[in-house]
Amino acid sequence: MNATRVLVLNSGSSSVKYQLLDMRDASRLAVGLVERIGEQTSRLKHACVASGDTREQNGPIADHDAALKAVAEELAKDGLGLDSPELAAIGHRVVHGGMFFTEPTVIDDAVLTEIERLIPVAPLHNPANLTGIRTAMALRPDLPQVAVFDTAFHTTMPESAARYAIETKLADRYRVRRYGFHGTSHAYVSRRTAELLGKAYEDVNVIVLHLGNGASASAVRGGRCMDTSMGLTPLEGLVMGTRSGDLDPAVIFHLQRVGGMSMDEIDTLLNKRSGLFGLCGDNDMREIRRRMDEGDEQARLAFDIYIHRLRKYIGAYYAVLGSVDAVAFTAGVGENADFVRAAAVAGLEGLGLAVDGERNAVRGDEARLISPDGARVAVAVVPTDEEMEIAGQTYALVGKDNRDN
């Protein structure tokens, strides 16, 4: 029997998201989430897609080892256990791969060591990713485990886009450069946009706007990333839910010298108390919209700052690409907030950008165009599917052996 199933794991500091997919037809077999790991109020939500059954467990789950064992038990109840001969591999989302990892990679001790070395530039993410990997390897040591890196898609950026203008030797010593994140989303959405336009991927220039609580933009030319808004860490770039995005670095010195803040306090400020939350006390775009409709000026200002930054990046990446076939909105805000999409392109008609009001107002799970007929530049809504992208890259790497056997 050929093994065609891939289990995708996204291990966070206190959560594990998972999906089991069959790559024969790219169908989902099961999806689930374990959250609040290490707390008394842990919860596991599991759904078997084929049967439509959903189950929920509530109660303490001590650590990632216990979480993955609980996931394995839920899968086994549906006849989809980790011991199945149909399971080809486990694909892991790893946030930071530096410049060393430019493509999906079968995990061994050397790979684990390199991911660990990158913890200083991804202190919130890589440790959790490593925990999930090691736990999965212990559960199925015979099975290929594949790391798919958020940064890999952006390694095609030219040095002119990836380098900061600081002393080269120092930058190289401490690996200071722009890496970019959300790479699996940008890869999936840019390719899906080309399909939506009915064009070959290598012939399409796309600006991808991944707008969620974390947000990033990318300029993609023929399937290769030319620039992206996040940098050494996921802090740079667009205004986000709780992250500041672009900032004069001297603000940090000012807050330390004049405000008496420690580096840890400034880190917390910029990552967890800034962005939309810092501007108006809310990081949920739906709540901000409600407040704007009620005349709340603080919410209006936060929204205007968010849109101003977003439009700056659209214009900048138009210049980077030279010509643009499409602008694609994705992720939670990009897919669902029609008022954000409309505001982002308002006034950019000179660049060929516009949205059709009726099309933009339509809600749905399918990729679709929201620009008027005959628009010079297509504007699209493309729901992202990072798990499918991870599964596809994982199976492309390990599936050939299974098909050949």
Side-chain angles (χ1 to χ4, degrees), residues 54-345:
T54 61
R55 296 186 292 274
E56 184 172 315
Q57 294 182 26
N58 292 279
I61 297 176
D63 51 30
H64 283 71
D65 181 65
L68 284 184
K69 287 178 179 176
V71 170
E73 291 173 2
E74 289 301 317
L75 290 169
K77 291 176 185 178
D78 299 319
L80 304 169
L82 295 189
D83 59 350
S84 169
E86 295 184 67
L87 188 60
I90 298 178
H92 298 267
R93 179 198 181 209
V94 180
V95 167
H96 214 310
M99 290 302 294
F100 191 83
F101 298 109
T102 62
E103 56 190 16
T105 304
V106 175
I107 300 168
D108 57 19
D109 288 342
V111 172
L112 288 172
T113 298
E114 187 64 23
I115 295 172
E116 195 164 18
R117 286 180 62 197
L118 289 162
I119 286 176
V121 289
L124 300 179
H125 298 92
N126 274 30
N129 300 155
L130 279 166
T131 299
I133 291 169
R134 288 178 170 132
T135 301
M137 292 177 78
L139 289 174
R140 280 297 306 269
D142 60 312
L143 197 67
Q145 311 270 340
V146 176
V148 178
F149 299 90
D150 272 14
T151 50
F153 181 68
H154 303 302
T155 58
T156 58
M157 280 192 294
E159 287 292 277
S160 56
R163 286 275 185 178
Y164 291 111
I166 64 173
E167 183 183 337
T168 301
K169 289 183 180 179
L170 185 144
D172 290 344
R173 182 185 310 154
Y174 297 111
R175 303 185 182 196
V176 177
R177 61 184 290 122
R178 303 184 63 252
Y179 294 100
F181 299 89
H182 295 143
T184 51
S185 178
H186 287 281
Y188 178 86
V189 171
S190 57
R191 186 174 59 254
R192 184 71 185 91
T193 301
E195 294 171 358
L196 186 63
L197 298 179
K199 297 182 179 181
Y201 194 23
E202 60 269 19
D203 295 333
V204 173
N205 290 352
V206 184
I207 297 172
V208 178
L209 304 174
H210 178 109
L211 308 179
N213 193 49
S216 61
S218 67
V220 183
R221 176 183 294 143
R224 294 172 61 85
C225 179
M226 295 291 102
D227 204 349
T228 192
S229 58
M230 287 179 168
L232 174 73
T233 75
L235 181 60
E236 186 182 357
L238 301 174
V239 175
M240 301 175 230
T242 64
R243 299 177 208 153
S244 66
D246 290 340
L247 189 78
D248 179 351
V251 170
I252 296 170
F253 313 144
H254 180 78
L255 292 174
Q256 183 188 36
R257 293 168 182 163
V258 179
M261 295 177 68
S262 68
M263 284 293 105
D264 286 344
E265 288 173 330
I266 296 171
D267 190 312
T268 298
L269 169 70
L270 298 182
N271 279 288
K272 298 181 179 180
R273 291 171 40 215
S274 295
L276 292 169
F277 179 79
L279 290 167
C280 72
D282 272 309
N283 62 321
D284 188 322
M285 191 60 76
R286 293 165 296 189
E287 183 65 14
I288 290 171
R289 174 61 185 269
R290 182 193 65 77
R291 287 172 57 183
M292 287 195 299
D293 289 344
E294 293 177 353
D296 188 316
E297 291 301 320
Q298 195 170 7
R300 166 58 67 181
L301 178 59
F303 181 76
D304 288 347
I305 293 170
Y306 179 95
I307 293 298
H308 179 78
R309 184 83 54 83
L310 184 56
R311 292 177 64 190
K312 281 177 64 175
Y313 268 92
I314 293 172
Y317 286 171
Y318 209 117
V320 167
L321 293 171
S323 64
V324 176
D325 296 287
V327 173
F329 289 87
T330 194
V333 174
E335 293 170 27
N336 297 299
D338 58 337
F339 60 99
V340 169
R341 298 191 296 260
V345 302

Side-chain angles (χ1 to χ4, degrees), residues 325-376:
D325 296 287
V327 173
F329 289 87
T330 194
V333 174
E335 293 170 27
N336 297 299
D338 58 337
F339 60 99
V340 169
R341 298 191 296 260
V345 302
L348 301 182
E349 292 83 4
L351 298 179
L353 288 164
V355 297
D356 178 279
E358 291 186 6
R359 292 176 180 175
N360 188 36
V362 172
R363 299 288 293 268
D365 297 327
E366 298 298 319
R368 58 199 184 276
L369 295 178
I370 59 172
S371 44
D373 292 336
R376 191 164 86 243

